[in-house]
Structures are given as C-alpha cells and as structure tokens.
Amino acid sequence: MIEEFEGKLIQVRASGIADLLKVVTEQFRIHCNIVNLVNDKYGKIPEDKILVQENLDVKTQAIVSQVFTAMIIEAFYFDYYHGKKSKSKAEEWSKQSPVKQFSSLAKEFWNIENVEEIELYKQLTDLNKVRKRWVHNQSTQFGKYAKDLNYLSADGCVEFLRSFFCFVDEQDPSYKAANLISDHLSALQFSVKGYNGL
C-alpha cells in the first residue's frame, strides 16, 4: 500500500503486487517479441501447427499472464480492503470469490449500484473463469474458450490491468498505487509496442 505523506509517496505495507506485475510484464515482452518475429518471418499469422513447430506459439505466455493477472487483482482486493478496514476483516472478507469481492468494493466504497452492468465486471468474470480453469485444471470442450487466449493474451492482460487500475484510480484517487500501476503499464505498452491505446 502506498500513501501520500507530506507531499511524498511512501510504502506503508508490502502486498507483493510489484513482484506479480513483473511476471506479467515479462510475459508481455515475450509475447510482443514473438509477434514481431512471426510478422518479420511470415508477414502474417500462419497456421497454429507451424507456430507450435517453430516454437512461436504465445499460448504459454497467455496462460501465465491470465493466472498472474488474476493474482494481481486479488492482491489488490485484499490490500484495498485491508487499508479501508483491517487485516483480520480483510482475511475473512477475502474468502468470497474475486468477482464478489469486486462487487463488494464497488458497492461499499465506490457507491456503484448496478455493478453487473459495468463492462469491467464482465471482463473480471471472464478472467475469473479462465483463472479457475488453469489453476484447478478444469477440462473444457475444444474451441469453447478461443476468446480467452485472444482477449486475455499476454498483451491483452497488460491492457486489462491498465484499464482495471485506471478504473480504480477514477473511483478512489486516494489509492495511489492504482495511478502508479496504470501509468507504469501505459509506459510499458508505449515502449514495447509504440502505442498504448490512449
């Protein structure tokens, strides 16, 4: 947790979010390098089997990014609730699903009533399904989750996190880490890809 004290930002608690972010940003860089290699070599995206044969598949980076993106958001939930209430209350509160935690924060602290109508809520629901699928090794029908590896690619996860923390910053500017994280991810996107969608 980062707080502003006498005009300076100081860290008052360690949440581990920075370490988790390093994992996602590393996957993002690998993903972008592979995309550039494929583009240089083929000028287009070839068939999946060719990508796999040449070790140019980005699925591994997507899986790691999806799981760690979910972990970052869950670490944020705990850190945020801990800062607003207490550690013991946060430990009890965090036993509910990540999607319910978002709803709880949105209603209790950000005065958002129709949480389920927010696009971010729908995206968090998708992320939670994907995380559960990987973490609990849930089997699914082939082709059912094609959307997940595109929308939540390593690149997509960085964009998702940037949007998530921009949203948090808009709801509660006093949570300084949200602005720092979204700015960091925006700068990362710009340095690696040359644009950040803003």
Side-chain angles (χ1 to χ4, degrees):
M1 175 80 173
I2 297 171
E3 292 180 358
E4 190 169 352
F5 183 72
E6 295 180 355
K8 294 182 181 178
L9 294 178
I10 57 167
Q11 187 168 356
V12 294
R13 279 193 317 277
S15 67
I17 290 175
D19 291 331
L20 299 172
L21 270 170
K22 287 178 188 174
V23 174
V24 175
T25 58
E26 180 181 328
Q27 301 309 306
F28 168 75
R29 288 179 188 279
I30 294 168
H31 170 92
C32 290
N33 287 338
I34 291 172
V35 169
N36 286 336
L37 284 170
V38 168
N39 189 47
D40 290 347
K41 187 167 186 172
Y42 298 100
K44 63 176 185 170
I45 298 177
E47 295 176 27
D48 286 345
K49 67 180 182 180
I50 293 172
L51 291 173
V52 171
Q53 286 171 352
E54 297 202 27
N55 202 26
L56 296 172
D57 185 20
V58 293
K59 185 174 183 178
T60 303
Q61 287 74 40
I63 293 169
V64 173
S65 296
Q66 290 162 3
V67 172
F68 276 80
T69 294
M71 290 170 66
I72 289 165
I73 291 171
E74 289 177 48
F76 157 75
Y77 292 152
F78 185 88
D79 185 55
Y80 190 85
Y81 200 84
H82 178 185
K84 296 292 184 182
K85 299 284 185 172
S86 69
K87 183 177 181 183
S88 60
K89 287 184 180 180
E91 286 171 351
E92 184 60 33
W93 174 84
S94 67
K95 291 177 183 175
Q96 59 189 332
S97 79
V99 175
K100 288 184 179 176
Q101 289 177 36
F102 178 77
S103 293
S104 173
L105 294 179
K107 291 174 184 173
E108 186 173 351
F109 300 111
W110 306 331
N111 298 316
I112 299 172
E113 290 302 320
N114 299 320
V115 179
E116 296 80 13
E117 295 175 13
I118 299 171
E119 184 62 27
L120 183 60
Y121 176 87
K122 296 170 190 167
Q123 294 170 338
L124 287 164
T125 302
D126 283 348
L127 176 65
N128 191 51
K129 286 178 187 173
V130 174
R131 178 198 64 83
K132 280 174 50 179
R133 181 172 143 227
W134 296 127
V135 172
H136 300 292
N137 196 24
Q138 295 176 340
S139 62
T140 57
Q141 244 180 333
F142 278 121
K144 187 173 180 187
Y145 286 97
K147 168 184 164 188
D148 300 338
L149 296 180
N150 295 319
Y151 151 62
L152 290 173
S153 65
D155 184 15
C157 284
V158 166
E159 176 58 27
F160 178 77
L161 284 168
R162 183 173 69 92
S163 298
F164 177 83
F165 284 105
C166 280
F167 178 85
V168 171
D169 185 46
E170 289 169 6
Q171 303 310 311
D172 184 358
S174 72
Y175 187 79
K176 300 298 182 188
N179 182 264
L180 293 172
I181 293 169
S182 61
D183 284 354
H184 166 72
L185 294 174
S186 185
L188 173 71
Q189 288 177 310
F190 194 81
S191 71
V192 174
K193 295 178 13 175
Y195 68 94
N196 55 20
L198 291 179

